[in-house]
Amino acid sequence: MLNIVLVEPEIPNNTGNIGRLCVGTESRLHLIHPFGFKITDASVKRAGLDYWVHLDKTEYQDVSEWIAAVPDLSRVFLFSSHAQTSYLNNEFRDGDWLVFGKESVGLSKEVLAQFENHLKIPISPLVRSFNIANAVAFVVGEAKRQIMK
């Protein structure tokens, strides 16, 4: 089972869509506060539809609390547009932690500095970034493909 981590998500629809993706791919969702919304917001549940009740979800008050729950920090992969290595060149394993930052600014330098594994999603120079729900879907799809071989 993959572990999808959203650090300080800001947009409820994105979190709801990622929650639905997690249910569909049998992945766990880890949410790190503060959020830009309340989990009870209708938009989160609307995006997650009736799948939200099936979501394997854990919330953490901060990054430190989440890090304490990770059994193997070497299997944590942070996604950043500043990374040099493409996620397509990485070997994923069952149980990996895939970490995404908030929509407006990504992961902070402080969070990035705590881990060695930084990956990027290749993108045309004509586009600044992908929507986070799409980015998570790309990575989860590739990781699941590798794991299911």
Side-chain angles (χ1 to χ4, degrees):
M1 181 175 281
L2 292 170
N3 294 284
I4 310 308
V5 182
L6 302 182
V7 179
E8 302 178 5
E10 298 170 312
I11 301 174
N13 294 27
N14 289 335
T15 301
N17 283 321
I18 293 166
R20 183 183 344 182
L21 176 72
C22 286
V23 172
T25 60
E26 298 179 327
S27 300
R28 288 187 183 103
L29 182 60
H30 302 266
L31 300 170
I32 301 175
H33 286 268
F35 306 156
F37 54 89
K38 292 183 167 96
I39 290 292
T40 57
D41 280 357
S43 53
V44 173
K45 293 189 177 170
R46 183 172 50 249
L49 296 173
D50 55 342
Y51 307 110
W52 196 256
V53 297
H54 303 292
L55 179 61
D56 183 348
K57 170 182 67 76
T58 305
E59 294 182 35
Y60 305 89
Q61 291 309 305
D62 55 36
V63 171
S64 298
E65 182 183 357
W66 164 68
I67 289 173
V70 178
D72 182 358
L73 296 178
S74 74
R75 298 310 302 172
V76 174
F77 299 93
L78 284 71
F79 289 83
S80 169
S81 61
H82 305 292
Q84 298 302 308
T85 305
S86 169
Y87 80 104
L88 297 169
N89 296 326
N90 190 68
E91 290 186 27
F92 294 103
R93 291 190 224 153
D94 194 29
D96 281 351
W97 298 77
L98 312 175
V99 184
F100 299 84
K102 60 174 124 182
E103 290 91 339
S104 62
V105 295
L107 292 165
S108 70
K109 290 179 183 177
E110 294 78 24
V111 172
L112 288 165
Q114 295 184 60
F115 298 93
E116 292 182 18
N117 299 322
H118 299 182
L119 300 173
K120 69 178 178 180
I121 298 170
I123 190 169
S124 163
L126 300 174
V127 177
R128 182 177 50 84
S129 64
F130 288 114
N131 171 280
I132 190 170
N134 291 336
V136 173
F138 294 154
V139 177
V140 168
E142 174 60 15
K144 293 294 277 188
R145 183 191 70 77
Q146 291 181 22
I147 292 166
M148 301 304 282
K149 278 186 184 179

